[in-house]
Amino acid sequence: MNVLQAALYRRCHCGGLKWLYTQSVILDGVSEMMEKRQADSQNTVVEDQETWHELAIMDPVDKPHLVHKDSEDQEALLLNGAKHPEHRPLLVSFALEEFEFPSSVCLEEMPLFPQWHLPLKLMAILMALTFLYTFIRDVLQPFVSQSRSDFYKIPILVMNKTLPWTAISLLALIYLPGLLAALLQLYRGTKYSSFPGWLERWMSMRKQLGLLAFFLAALHAIYSLCYPMRRSYRYKLLNWAYQQVQQNQEDSWVADDVWRMEIYVSLGIMGLGLLALLAISSIPSISDTLNWREFTWMQLLTGLLFVYLSSGPSVLQRSLGYAALVLCTAHALVYGWRKWVEPKHYVWYTPPSFILASLLPATVLLVKAVLLLPCLDRRLGQIRRGWESPRPPRGRGVTEKDSL
């Protein structure tokens, strides 16, 4: 049997190399998937010729079973692996499509989009909770209290309150772990200490949360544009006109409502524009083309207080993200206007949805403002430049891992 150790690109695994599959055992030295999958198993990866000679003189029971590409040995190896799990054949993983494999090679199912599983679950949970809360207030309460059927509000009106609530919550959850990490660094007095596992996992999915927030915000804008197209809105418009005629009212202009709508619509458009710019700048092919002067110019373009605090390759994303969070929070608060103090909006002793939607973003912005105080900002900057507290807290294990 011939043993060939090779590091091949994906495009090299083609039909022209079938003799490699049928006559040799290929040991791929650069496959990251193979290293990750074999970290939790008992199988051994043969990486050099000396190790192969050591395996050759081992007892047959202790040898790792490699997948031979001969059709005669394939069935025997699989049968042996089924009877003895500890002697399961070593399936070398190649990043190939199914049609590129010979018929004698066994395929292993790979998970689809593993980094998106948790963000999607989180988005689904938030949407379910916000939809249920809005349904109870806007549909169920009028039906129970006034025997009025408002179930027609579910497709557009209820969904259009669920989408922005979930979007702004996801946007706040992007920057909350960074603030928790900063507070943890201030407490420990050093950056050379690993974060908890749940916090690191939270930080690793911030990009997915941002893209989902932008997607929901774009849907919210589309739903809002569809308001005048609804048949129910046209009927209500006719009813309002008839009531105005019955009351002999020539002018129905209300300056307070006009200003409220003009301001919150403008803030929402600017917030959505920044989210779009943030989504575009997160593309590696776009961010890699910006030099230092272009990064500095984009920072000045945002013109916000938080820009000078940020540093590193993700300065643009953080500054634009905080700007979008400020605009979206202001959009929600201006939408509420005077509804904060009007008792008629507290149905069944529950606050309006915009109050609950703005709690988490307002908390994130408040903590960020506290961290911008000169005393905390100066100490945090020293810690991020390598300074360590002379008296670190007890029980803190210092590692070589740099913080995010």
Side-chain angles (χ1 to χ4, degrees):
M1 179 180 61
N2 299 324
V3 178
L4 176 63
Q5 180 179 359
L8 304 177
Y9 289 102
R10 174 174 179 172
R11 59 179 177 269
C12 298
H13 296 276
C14 56
L17 298 177
K18 288 185 177 179
W19 61 274
L20 290 176
Y21 298 112
T22 56
Q23 300 180 8
S24 307
V25 175
I26 301 179
L27 307 176
D28 191 354
V30 297
S31 177
E32 297 180 359
M33 294 183 296
M34 180 178 64
E35 296 175 359
K36 293 179 181 179
R37 292 174 182 174
Q38 292 171 351
D40 301 331
S41 63
Q42 302 295 330
N43 296 325
T44 305
V45 181
V46 183
E47 295 183 350
D48 55 349
Q49 193 67 23
E50 295 180 0
T51 306
W52 177 257
H53 287 310
E54 295 177 1
L55 291 175
I57 62 177
M58 290 174 58
D59 188 81
V61 178
D62 298 329
K63 287 184 181 180
H65 291 257
L66 302 179
V67 174
H68 298 269
K69 302 304 181 291
D70 297 333
S71 59
E72 298 178 357
D73 299 337
Q74 183 70 20
E75 183 177 359
L77 282 174
L78 293 177
L79 184 59
N80 186 24
K83 294 180 179 180
H84 306 283
E86 67 276 5
H87 297 158
R88 196 170 299 162
L90 178 62
L91 300 178
V92 181
S93 301
F94 293 101
L96 302 179
E97 301 294 341
E98 183 175 358
F99 64 87
E100 296 176 325
F101 277 93
S103 58
S104 59
V105 177
C106 294
L107 298 179
E108 181 179 354
E109 292 293 335
M110 299 179 62
L112 294 175
F113 307 107
Q115 297 180 350
W116 287 85
H117 291 175
L118 187 57
L120 288 175
K121 292 178 181 178
L122 180 61
M123 183 191 71
I125 294 175
L126 289 177
M127 288 193 67
L129 294 177
T130 55
F131 179 85
L132 181 61
Y133 185 84
T134 308
F135 174 80
I136 292 175
R137 281 180 47 87
D138 296 353
V139 179
L140 189 60
Q141 190 272 339
F143 181 77
V144 174
S145 302
Q146 307 173 15
S147 299
R148 189 180 67 197
S149 179
D150 289 342
F151 289 93
Y152 71 93
K153 295 182 178 180
I154 296 177
I156 300 294
L157 296 179
V158 175
M159 284 299 301
N160 200 33
K161 289 185 178 181
T162 302
L163 292 174
W165 188 351
T166 308
I168 197 173
S169 300
L170 292 177
L171 188 60
L173 290 176
I174 297 172
Y175 300 98
L176 184 57
L179 300 178
L180 296 179
L183 294 175
L184 192 59
Q185 288 179 345
L186 287 174
Y187 172 74
R188 293 176 174 177
T190 181
K191 72 173 184 178
Y192 301 106
S193 179
S194 60
F195 296 132
W198 59 269
L199 185 58
E200 291 185 353
R201 189 176 182 184
W202 191 353
M203 287 184 173
S204 65
M205 67 178 186
R206 287 181 295 181
K207 181 177 181 179
Q208 288 77 15
L209 293 178
L211 293 177
L212 292 176
F214 169 68
F215 172 71
L216 296 180
L219 288 181
H220 168 57
I222 297 174
Y223 270 76
S224 300
L225 291 176
C226 294
Y227 270 19
M229 301 169 55
R230 298 177 300 124
R231 180 66 63 178
S232 59
Y233 179 81
R234 297 178 184 179
Y235 289 149
K236 284 189 174 182
L237 188 62
L238 293 175
N239 292 336
W240 292 336
Y242 179 75
Q243 293 174 4
Q244 183 178 346
V245 172
Q246 291 294 107
Q247 297 173 2
N248 294 325
Q249 184 178 0
E250 297 180 358
D251 189 6
S252 60
W253 183 274
V254 180
D256 188 72
D257 290 341
V258 170
W259 275 105
R260 178 184 71 90
M261 188 167 187
E262 296 291 331
I263 293 175
Y264 90 78
V265 170
S266 177
L267 291 173
I269 293 174
M270 289 189 293
L272 180 61
L274 285 183
L275 283 178
L277 185 59
L278 179 63
I280 295 175
S281 63
S282 64
I283 302 176
S285 60
I286 300 298
S287 59
D288 293 344
T289 58
L290 297 178
N291 54 35
W292 176 250
R293 293 187 61 188
E294 293 170 344
F295 257 86
T296 305
W297 184 82
M298 291 298 295
Q299 295 171 19
L300 295 177
L301 182 64
T302 56
L304 293 175
L305 183 62
F306 338 93
V307 174
Y308 77 96
L309 181 64
S310 304
S311 60
S314 60
V315 173
L316 181 61
Q317 284 80 4
R318 285 200 297 268
S319 59
L320 290 179
Y322 274 111
L325 184 60
V326 169
L327 291 175
C328 293
T329 306
H331 169 72
L333 296 179
V334 175
Y335 170 80
W337 203 251
R338 297 180 180 178
K339 297 178 182 179
W340 297 82
V341 294
E342 295 179 356
K344 64 179 181 179
H345 295 289
Y346 291 82
V347 297
W348 280 357
Y349 304 100
T350 58
S353 58
F354 73 90
I355 296 180
L356 299 180
S358 57
L359 283 180
L360 183 59
T363 303
V364 171
L365 293 176
L366 180 61
V367 175
K368 182 65 176 180
V370 172
L371 291 178
L372 286 175
L373 296 177
C375 55
L376 298 178
D377 183 21
R378 189 181 305 109
R379 177 55 57 89
L380 189 59
Q382 293 175 352
I383 291 175
R384 290 175 175 175
R385 287 191 295 268
W387 179 85
E388 294 190 66
S389 176
R391 294 181 180 180
R394 295 182 179 180
R396 175 176 56 83
V398 179
T399 63
E400 295 296 332
K401 183 175 181 179
D402 195 359
S403 71
L404 299 177

